[in-house]
Amino acid sequence: MASESVLEEHRIVVGLDYGTTYSGSAHGDTSQKSLENIKTIRRWPGKERRDEDKCPSDIAYAADGIYRWGYLIQPGQARLTWAKLDLDEDNFYENQEALPEDYVDLQDPFAETPAPAPTEDEFPMAEGMRHNPLNKSPVDVVADYLTALYDVIMANLRKSKGENLINRMAIDWVMTVPAVWSEKAQALTKEAASRAGIGQREKDRLFLLSEPEAAAVYAISDLYHRDNRLRNNPDMLKVGDTFVLCDAGGGTVDLISYRVGQLQPSLGLSEVAVGSGAKCGSTFIDRNFLKLVRKRIGEDRFNLLCKKQDGMVLNKMISEFEGVKRSFGPSNLPGSINYLPMHGFANDSAAGIVEGQFEVTHDDLKECFDPIMDQIIGLIQGQINAVCDTGSIPKYVFLVGGFGESDYLLNRVAAHKFDKSGQIQIINPDDAWSAVSRGAVLRGLEGSLVTNRRCRRNYGTRINTTFDPTIHHEEDAFYSTDTGMKMARNQVSWIVEKGADTDSNTRFKLKCGTTFQKGEKLRRGATLVASDLDIAPHSYRDKSVHDLCFLMADLSMVPESEFDAVNINGQACLSAEFTIEMAFESAEIKFQLYFKDNCYGQVKTTFH
């Protein structure tokens, strides 16, 4: 995206932050690249009286297929929440394209691929919140929501710039995804966006950008460009300083650490350590609350609560809890009590049900919050340790995202004494909730401000190699029919190792060779595998190693005269050596096919 973002013409850039709980969008154009000229959408269908930076990511389906979304959903109406997280669940396979019938894996055509274990639905009982009467797939659901969001964004652009101009002008869409997103989830996100029409007009383009990178670009740019007097403040970041960015959202919490490479003439950052994160956003406080309610009132009444009035009672309760959750902080004194609507249930003081309301004490809220706080602090600690291991102590922790505006989270992090660094100053920038979408626009306008990134996992391929009894297991041994040598299958050759420096100008190469018969259209594939371990294992049988995607190299358009003639067992055949090049961008991997120094385009990718 670095080279592609150097815009040769006047273009509009739209930042799109599709979140687990709320979604937002901002836009700017290449004629005015300053922060002040980046505008966020603040008027949403169904929300007429109050401006908001974001709109709920909920969608509500009727039996006839018609759906409402965002603020248009009636209070208490059954809905599908947290749909974004479904894109990264291993139990959804119906959207994955089947491998081609003539699939031949170059590494090991006889290896068996273990079937992934199904994942259990964490909240099958909360039907009112996970209402999917049409049994739509995650990609279908997200595409439906993004279609509605796309229409609103385009309507806003036409209103502010004029329909004729919008119809003529190209738009770059920069869509953000969690840094912890799997490659499959990245691909599914892009597929859903494309189905919604995003980036599909002539000359329009669609890019993916990691959420913490977008937030970091905004946070630092905002810090320096809103008030130039801050540049001489000794407490401000200087070239060579490091900082940690924590993007706490509804579903995920992403962390990334940067070193400031330059401040003038433009911002330049480089990743200091491998980023980290987890699914521990604010929705998991909601889940803890549901567990608390179920524990307090018992299984039978909880099941009734989930079903009562088609989930309306539960949804009203969760809606009210959202306000309690946002306001929870130091101002809430021990002993304070909040009351949430729970209509239709008899009084039960032991269960906390009083006059159609459910009591939530200060200690109850701490029970919902603290496990998530501990997890987030642990993630921040891990990033700080990684930075300190490079010989630098982070100067700040920037806390952004919707959940990042929580006073309780802010105070817990600010009061914590981190190992190796002690207490670190926490900065919660202005407009922290919209930092991701604004940063995505800046990224699209100015090009990549991150000069290098750290690879988050190991990538490689299965290979057969000469057997070594000190390394290999006998069960992997076989004898080559060509050479008679003892070989070992189910081994891995790592192309990129975790922590390696990557940027969009660096290419990592997977070299492949094959033979084929004359008259055969050359299509060959390789399975890319991955491991998250800090030190990559040699064996494909290691539990950390998993199949990531199947790469199909199609050289069928190359004339036979370009290939080398070989003789195999007395039969005239052809041979080819080609290369699949990997380029790492902020939130996706690009694969290109090369044969004899000629590029034959993108490699078809099928994720497992």
Side-chain angles (χ1 to χ4, degrees), residues 211-513:
E211 291 170 358
E213 182 172 324
V217 167
Y218 171 77
I220 304 301
S221 298
D222 178 70
L223 202 62
Y224 282 93
H225 293 291
R226 284 196 184 277
D227 190 346
N228 289 329
R229 293 172 298 178
L230 294 175
R231 294 181 186 276
N232 298 320
N233 187 328
D235 291 329
M236 294 303 293
L237 287 167
K238 301 291 189 294
V239 172
D241 284 347
T242 57
F243 65 91
V244 173
L245 187 288
C246 176
D247 177 20
T252 58
V253 175
D254 284 315
L255 293 100
I256 201 162
S257 303
Y258 288 109
R259 177 172 283 109
V260 179
Q262 65 177 45
L263 293 170
Q264 293 290 344
S266 61
L267 177 66
L269 304 173
S270 61
E271 282 190 35
V272 184
V274 176
S276 58
K279 292 177 183 176
C280 56
S282 63
T283 61
F284 291 87
I285 296 175
D286 296 343
R287 299 180 191 214
N288 287 344
F289 172 68
L290 287 173
K291 292 176 183 177
L292 183 144
V293 174
R294 180 170 57 180
K295 176 183 176 182
R296 185 83 58 77
I297 69 177
E299 198 71 32
D300 291 341
R301 276 187 295 193
F302 188 81
N303 289 334
L304 179 60
L305 172 65
C306 293
K307 297 174 182 176
K308 205 170 185 62
Q309 297 182 29
D310 294 327
M312 185 176 293
V313 175
L314 174 66
N315 275 293
K316 284 185 176 179
M317 189 177 187
I318 293 296
S319 179
E320 291 291 327
F321 180 70
E322 181 68 22
V324 172
K325 183 176 66 174
R326 287 192 180 197
S327 63
F328 185 56
S331 60
N332 296 89
L333 300 176
S336 60
I337 299 177
N338 290 278
Y339 293 91
L340 302 176
M342 193 174 174
H343 306 303
F345 290 85
N347 288 348
D348 183 344
S349 57
I353 305 173
V354 179
E355 299 299 330
Q357 298 185 94
F358 183 77
E359 292 183 343
V360 183
T361 68
H362 182 272
D363 288 343
D364 290 336
L365 289 173
K366 282 179 60 65
E367 184 180 334
C368 296
F369 269 80
D370 284 347
I372 307 303
M373 300 300 103
D374 293 342
Q375 194 171 355
I376 294 172
I377 288 172
L379 288 169
I380 296 174
Q381 178 70 77
Q383 278 293 297
I384 289 174
N385 289 348
V387 175
C388 289
D389 288 344
T390 69
S392 177
I393 296 178
K395 199 166 188 177
Y396 300 116
V397 172
F398 288 90
L399 194 57
V400 301
F403 192 18
E405 294 188 332
S406 164
D407 286 339
Y408 191 71
L409 174 59
L410 181 63
N411 279 272
R412 280 288 308 270
V413 175
H416 189 79
K417 292 184 178 180
F418 293 96
D419 296 341
K420 298 187 178 182
S421 64
Q423 284 182 269
I424 293 182
Q425 185 175 344
I426 310 301
I427 294 181
N428 190 222
D430 293 337
D431 303 316
W433 202 22
S434 60
V436 171
S437 60
R438 292 171 185 264
V441 176
L442 276 176
R443 171 66 172 83
L445 291 174
E446 299 187 8
S448 180
L449 305 180
V450 177
T451 56
N452 76 289
R453 303 179 181 88
R454 299 280 182 172
C455 193
R456 289 191 170 226
R457 54 180 58 91
N458 306 285
Y459 298 91
T461 57
R462 298 199 308 271
I463 61 168
N464 299 331
T465 188
T466 304
F467 188 87
D468 183 341
T470 64
I471 299 175
H472 303 132
H473 297 289
E474 195 64 36
E475 60 186 336
D476 290 326
F478 72 99
Y479 287 90
S480 168
T481 56
D482 294 330
T483 65
M485 292 180 61
K486 189 175 184 179
M487 307 289 290
R489 62 164 55 96
N490 291 322
Q491 306 307 303
V492 182
S493 172
W494 297 106
I495 305 166
V496 192
E497 294 186 349
K498 184 176 180 179
D501 286 340
T502 63
D503 61 56
S504 56
N505 296 318
T506 301
R507 300 291 185 268
F508 297 90
K509 298 181 179 181
L510 167 59
K511 295 183 178 180
C512 306

Side-chain angles (χ1 to χ4, degrees), residues 17-271:
D17 175 18
Y18 170 57
T20 303
T21 52
Y22 286 88
S23 297
S25 181
H27 59 85
D29 66 69
T30 53
S31 65
Q32 298 175 310
K33 297 184 178 181
S34 64
L35 276 174
E36 291 77 10
N37 290 301
I38 294 176
K39 308 299 181 184
T40 58
I41 292 179
R42 296 182 55 82
R43 293 293 181 91
W44 301 97
K47 191 74 171 178
E48 303 299 336
R49 297 183 181 179
R50 182 179 166 193
D51 290 347
E52 289 281 4
D53 280 335
K54 290 191 175 184
C55 178
S57 298
D58 300 348
I59 190 167
Y61 289 100
D64 58 4
I66 303 299
Y67 63 86
R68 291 175 175 267
W69 69 289
Y71 291 115
L72 292 171
I73 301 175
Q74 298 301 310
Q77 183 179 353
R79 67 198 65 198
L80 181 53
T81 61
W82 313 331
K84 175 179 176 177
L85 295 182
D86 295 339
L87 293 175
D88 201 31
E89 292 294 336
D90 290 336
N91 57 323
F92 294 107
Y93 293 98
E94 59 271 28
N95 297 294
Q96 299 308 296
E97 184 179 358
L99 296 180
E101 291 182 2
D102 57 350
Y103 159 54
V104 176
D105 193 317
L106 291 175
Q107 280 71 46
D108 190 347
F110 306 106
E112 295 182 0
T113 301
T119 2
E120 182 182 355
D121 188 350
E122 291 188 64
F123 279 97
M125 68 287 179
E127 168 61 20
M129 298 173 62
R130 303 286 295 156
H131 190 58
N132 188 3
L134 305 178
N135 197 29
K136 288 206 168 193
S137 71
V139 171
D140 290 337
V141 171
V142 175
D144 285 342
Y145 182 89
L146 291 178
T147 297
L149 187 59
Y150 174 71
D151 290 342
V152 169
I153 294 170
M154 292 300 292
N156 271 267
L157 290 175
R158 292 187 183 101
K159 182 178 179 181
S160 63
K161 297 182 179 295
E163 185 164 358
N164 290 337
L165 182 63
I166 293 302
N167 289 341
R168 295 196 312 269
M169 192 176 294
I171 301 176
D172 280 346
W173 296 83
V174 184
M175 186 173 184
T176 59
V177 294
V180 295
W181 236 215
S182 67
E183 288 80 2
K184 184 177 84 170
Q186 293 168 3
L188 292 178
T189 302
K190 200 166 188 178
E191 179 186 341
S194 298
R195 285 197 204 176
I198 296 171
Q200 300 308 297
R201 300 187 317 163
E202 187 179 1
K203 293 187 178 182
D204 285 5
R205 301 183 292 187
L206 170 62
F207 305 107
L208 295 186
L209 178 68
S210 80
E211 291 170 358
E213 182 172 324
V217 167
Y218 171 77
I220 304 301
S221 298
D222 178 70
L223 202 62
Y224 282 93
H225 293 291
R226 284 196 184 277
D227 190 346
N228 289 329
R229 293 172 298 178
L230 294 175
R231 294 181 186 276
N232 298 320
N233 187 328
D235 291 329
M236 294 303 293
L237 287 167
K238 301 291 189 294
V239 172
D241 284 347
T242 57
F243 65 91
V244 173
L245 187 288
C246 176
D247 177 20
T252 58
V253 175
D254 284 315
L255 293 100
I256 201 162
S257 303
Y258 288 109
R259 177 172 283 109
V260 179
Q262 65 177 45
L263 293 170
Q264 293 290 344
S266 61
L267 177 66
L269 304 173
S270 61
E271 282 190 35

